[in-house]
Amino acid sequence: MRRNRLKTVAMTDCARRRFHIMLLVLLLALAGVAFAGLALGSSSIGATDVVAYATGNASDMAVNVLANVRVPRVLGGVLAGAALAEAGALIQATLNNPLASPNIIGVNAGSGLFVLLFACVAPHALGVSAAGAFLGALASALLVFFVSLYAGASRLTIVLAGMALTSIFTAGMNAILIFNPDAYVNSSGFLVGSLSGVMASELVIPGCAICVGLLVAAGQGTRLNILSLGDEGAHALGLNVQRTRLTLLSLAALLAGAAVCFAGLIGFVGLVVPHIVRFFAGHDNRRVLLLSPVVGAIVVCACDTVARTLFAPFEIPVGICMALIGGPFFIYLILRSRKGEVDGRS
């Protein structure tokens, strides 16, 4: 008996050590991807200029390019990727639906619609984009929540309802831009998701919201693990299921909305990244919620760097790159779901 207990403790320590090593490797990979994002671009500014900038010895041209263009863009990619990936992990676990993500169930589109509405009403008000993004994301998340609550909807029904909401919200955004083309600067990039032209001042409010949201989300793994036992099992353990779901969806809406207000409608990050994390780290939501933001930041930063350097001086919005990756992956998940291979712990 004692030998079995010692063996279990040793296995737990080994798993914890592997997790710490994985987290360290991912953080180093994120640092490398971020450095590449700073060093690569259509201008002649390279790695030596980045090092010189960090030590305060860069030329005026390097300082101008890095401080005003590349640093805000890389920081925006890190924040957007982390927020969208964490929002996707929260939504999938909360709804027990591996096909769900902020863009699939309409959260991104709802956020984008409210950003454009608020931009029309109060274009110069401080924090108006962030407020509109959060309210739109929250409204969309609540609609999906009530569909799942009162309709007893299946996973596919929730996805279809989310796609219907996305179509409605997208039509609303297009209508606003038809009647008021100047409602939003770089609206074409906003609709597909782009980090082009992101300024440091635009990241202050959403960046603070994302950091707070990530800190809160990191502590929700135990509640999500209990929620994965099913409603009856969660109730038996003293968890208020509906209140917990509503709280976690609101938290996901905060993260997704904060990302949308400066990065636009970048899709599929919240769908792909949690599945990647579960494949390597297992299904414990405590680990998934810690690793998803790091992997999401790596994916978005890497895709954005490739998108703006592959055809330099022309660039592709990062949202297009994510769609090229996420679209086939979504089809793959649907095919697996129809075969019964995808469940809430996949």
Side-chain angles (χ1 to χ4, degrees):
M1 185 75 172
R2 183 179 179 184
R3 184 179 301 172
N4 290 336
R5 188 181 298 113
L6 290 174
K7 184 177 180 181
T8 301
V9 172
M11 291 176 64
T12 302
D13 291 340
C14 183
R16 188 180 296 112
R17 193 177 302 111
R18 285 199 303 268
F19 171 74
H20 290 155
I21 293 173
M22 186 182 304
L23 179 59
L24 178 60
V25 170
L26 288 173
L27 289 174
L28 291 174
L30 176 58
V33 169
F35 183 82
L38 294 174
L40 299 176
S42 57
S43 67
S44 59
I45 306 301
T48 56
D49 296 292
V50 175
V51 175
Y53 175 76
T55 58
N57 298 317
S59 65
D60 291 341
M61 185 180 74
V63 170
N64 182 51
V65 171
L66 289 171
N68 296 320
V69 179
R70 293 190 188 175
V71 170
R73 185 159 187 164
V74 170
L75 182 58
V78 170
L79 290 172
L84 293 171
E86 191 80 332
L90 287 170
I91 289 172
Q92 289 177 8
T94 301
L95 296 178
N96 190 27
N97 190 337
L99 299 176
S101 72
N103 70 299
I104 297 297
I105 66 172
V107 172
N108 281 7
S111 180
L113 175 62
F114 274 63
V115 166
L116 295 182
L117 285 174
F118 277 46
C120 290
V121 175
H124 304 297
L126 180 64
V128 65
S129 293
F134 171 67
L135 291 176
L138 181 62
S140 304
L142 290 177
L143 285 172
V144 173
F145 171 75
F146 286 117
V147 167
S148 65
L149 179 64
Y150 292 110
S154 66
R155 294 172 181 172
L156 187 57
T157 302
I158 291 175
V159 171
L160 293 175
M163 289 182 170
L165 288 176
T166 298
S167 298
I168 295 171
F169 295 148
T170 301
M173 286 186 282
N174 289 327
I176 291 173
L177 293 174
I178 288 174
F179 290 107
N180 186 5
D182 299 325
Y184 198 91
V185 178
N186 190 26
S187 58
S188 60
F190 178 81
L191 292 177
V192 298
S194 173
L195 295 169
S196 177
V198 171
M199 296 183 293
S201 59
E202 298 175 343
L203 300 177
V204 176
I205 294 177
C208 292
I210 288 171
C211 291
V212 172
L214 291 177
L215 288 175
V216 175
Q220 305 304 311
T222 300
R223 298 171 74 186
L224 285 173
N225 286 341
I226 295 173
L227 200 61
S228 67
L229 300 175
D231 289 4
E232 293 184 1
H235 275 302
L237 293 174
L239 187 70
N240 187 321
V241 173
Q242 303 307 335
R243 185 172 64 188
T244 299
R245 284 202 173 105
L246 185 59
T247 301
L248 295 179
L249 284 176
S250 299
L251 180 58
L254 169 67
L255 290 166
V260 167
C261 74
F262 66 86
L265 308 184
I266 299 177
F268 295 106
V269 180
L271 175 70
V272 175
V273 171
H275 284 279
I276 295 174
V277 171
R278 292 189 195 101
F279 180 80
F280 289 102
H283 308 293
D284 187 340
N285 285 297
R286 293 173 296 180
R287 297 181 179 181
V288 173
L289 292 178
L290 287 173
L291 295 179
S292 289
V294 184
V295 177
I298 292 172
V299 169
V300 172
C301 270
C303 285
D304 184 57
T305 301
V306 171
R308 64 186 172 84
T309 58
L310 191 61
F311 301 106
F314 304 101
E315 69 173 59
I316 304 172
V318 64
I320 293 179
C321 287
M322 287 307 309
L324 293 174
I325 297 172
F329 188 81
F330 184 51
I331 295 173
Y332 164 73
L333 288 179
I334 291 176
L335 294 176
R336 285 189 61 196
S337 179
R338 289 189 59 88
K339 293 179 181 179
E341 298 176 3
V342 176
D343 57 24
R345 300 179 62 82
S346 64

